[in-house]
């Protein structure tokens, strides 16, 4: 029976991805592992696959598509970001690429705002201090941060997550600036209470800068040494996008030289590696890529990734296609 079903490779055991749901319509030959598969192992698993359900840790490039063969119809990513997939190559081969937007917007915006607060008020450094046993009583000079309420927030990438962060900023009385490739329509700007700025102006004017852009050729390395130098020495940089948007070396230097006040990072240039100077920087709050990590969100991502994949295999329009 399963011989007549399309083969699907699931690269990792994932919340919300039900194997029994998949197996009612597809053949899933190997149980998904609890760890990312090395590229070589992926290459061994995909020949003959009609669908691949993968994560952002899987590099879905031309070699993988070639190894899968001409029957590959869909790559369903368990993420909103699709920078791990060679989109141009997929489109050239007629392979549908799908992702999981919307379901993770609020969880990721919560995390971004939490990082902003944590970096502004030195949460990580203060907690390390307490856990080390060094807390001997209230200190008028201890862990002085920068104010969030009433400050200016610059959102780089005013998409859905950026918009959800702007909504949170309203509760903190913040003035919101944003930068996109193009300004939004005025009606959308007035809903978000946000004003457009060129990137350099936004960096110079903002007390907090939060990065919410997809990783593309244009955004890779966007926040480099020069751009960091445009920021205020009291400013905080938060990155919930992709690590490669920021030059980590330059950021570590800016933190150690007092070029900016603090940084809150959820993503890294060479994940899972983190630049040693960032690990050593007391003013950096560092999280292990957990933007979408609530049980509800991850389960919704899994259900959406499954429905995307099954829809394409059934010849229907998937709920969220990228190409
Ligand atoms: C994404 O979806 O792109 C996040 O980085 C992980 O949820």
């Amino acid at each position: 029976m399963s011989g007549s079903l399309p083969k699907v490779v699931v690269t990792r055991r994932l919340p919300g991805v039900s194997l029994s749901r998949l197996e009612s319509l597809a053949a899933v030959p190997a149980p998904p592992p609890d760890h990312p598969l090395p590229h070589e192992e992926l290459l061994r698993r995909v020949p003959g696959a009609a669908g691949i359900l993968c994560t952002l840790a899987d590099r879905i490039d031309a070699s993988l598509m070639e190894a899968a063969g001409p029957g590959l119809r869909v790559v369903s990513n368990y993420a909103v970001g699709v920078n791990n997939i060679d989109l141009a190559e997929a489109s050239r081969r007629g392979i549908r690429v799908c992702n999981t937007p919307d379901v993770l917007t609020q969880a990721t915006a919560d995390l971004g705002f939490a990082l902003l607060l944590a970096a502004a008020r030195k949460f990580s450094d203060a907690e390390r201090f307490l856990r080390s046993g060094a807390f001997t009583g209230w200190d008028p000079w201890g862990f002085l941060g920068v104010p969030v309420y009433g400050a200016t927030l610059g959102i780089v990438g005013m998409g859905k997550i950026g918009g959800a962060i702007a909504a949170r900023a309203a509760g903190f009385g913040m003035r919101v600036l944003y930068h996109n490739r193009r300004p939004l329509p005025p009606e959308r700007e007035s809903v978000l209470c946000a004003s457009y700025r060129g990137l350099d102006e936004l960096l110079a004017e903002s007390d907090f800068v939060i990065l919410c852009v997809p990783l593309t050729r244009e955004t890779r390395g966007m926040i480099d040494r020069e751009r960091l130098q445009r920021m205020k020495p009291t400013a905080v940089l938060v990155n919930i996008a992709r690590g490669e948007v920021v030059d980590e070396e330059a950021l570590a230097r800016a933190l150690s030289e007092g070029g900016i006040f603090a940084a809150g990072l959820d993503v890294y240039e060479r994940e899972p590696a983190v630049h040693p100077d960032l690990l050593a920087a007391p003013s950096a709050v560092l999280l292990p890529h957990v933007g979408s990590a609530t049980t509800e969100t991850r389960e919704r991502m899994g259900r959406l990734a499954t429905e995307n994949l099954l829809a394409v295999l059934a010849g229907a329009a998937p709920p969220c296609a990228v190409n």
Side-chain angles (χ1 to χ4, degrees), residues 62 65-66 86-97 323:
M65 296 177 206
E66 186 61 31
D86 185 338
L87 279 182
E89 184 65 22
S91 298
R92 199 180 67 73
R93 291 170 182 258
I95 299 165
R96 233 20 195 333
V97 175
N323 63 350

Side-chain angles (χ1 to χ4, degrees), residues 56 79-81 100 104 242 289 292 298 301:
L56 53 85
V80 64
T100 60
L104 47 62
R242 285 291 183 265
H289 204 150
S292 62
R298 289 279 167 87
M301 288 166 68

Side-chain angles (χ1 to χ4, degrees), residues 14-19 21-23 53 76-78 100 299-313 319:
L14 295 164
V17 173
S18 150
L19 280 191
R21 166 94 180 109
L22 279 172
E23 281 170 344
L53 199 158
S76 178
N77 215 32
Y78 182 89
T100 60
E299 286 178 350
R300 293 179 73 192
M301 288 166 68
R303 288 195 292 274
L304 181 52
T306 304
E307 294 319 313
N308 278 334
L309 181 129
L310 292 176
V312 178
L313 295 185

Side-chain angles (χ1 to χ4, degrees), residues 122-300:
K122 300 174 172 263
F123 281 11
S124 295
D125 205 23
E127 189 180 4
R128 273 190 298 270
F129 170 82
L130 181 141
R131 286 179 189 272
S132 76
F135 180 41
T136 53
W138 183 76
D139 176 0
W141 298 100
F143 303 103
L144 301 180
V146 290
V148 175
Y149 192 86
T152 296
L153 171 63
I155 299 176
V156 181
M158 189 64 109
K160 289 174 183 160
I161 295 170
I165 286 167
R168 283 156 180 74
F172 282 76
M174 297 178 101
R175 182 168 77 108
V176 178
L177 311 176
Y178 76 97
H179 178 75
N180 269 1
R181 269 176 306 180
R182 277 177 297 280
L184 296 167
E187 318 80 68
R188 181 76 184 138
E189 283 191 347
S190 74
V191 168
L192 296 168
C193 300
S195 311
Y196 184 82
R197 292 288 187 279
L199 181 58
D200 289 343
E201 286 171 272
L202 176 143
L203 294 171
E205 260 185 78
S206 299
D207 300 306
F208 294 88
V209 174
I210 186 159
L211 306 174
C212 307
V213 285
L215 177 63
T216 63
R217 217 171 319 150
E218 292 77 39
T219 63
R220 186 178 290 275
M222 174 189 246
I223 305 298
D224 57 10
R225 195 170 130 81
E226 277 179 21
R227 291 248 160 82
L228 286 163
Q229 282 169 347
R230 293 184 191 277
M231 292 177 67
K232 300 178 185 179
T234 49
V236 172
L237 178 72
V238 176
N239 189 5
I240 55 168
R242 285 291 183 265
E244 295 96 319
V245 174
V246 177
D247 176 342
E248 269 182 16
E249 178 100 38
L251 174 59
R253 189 162 330 136
L255 289 170
S256 73
E257 291 173 355
I260 65 170
F261 181 74
L265 307 176
D266 188 39
V267 288
Y268 304 91
E269 216 178 332
R270 278 171 278 276
E271 254 170 63
V274 179
H275 195 293
D277 295 348
L278 286 178
L279 289 172
S283 54
V285 176
L286 307 175
L287 298 180
H289 204 150
V290 289
S292 62
T294 70
T295 304
E296 181 189 296
T297 297
R298 289 279 167 87
E299 286 178 350
R300 293 179 73 192

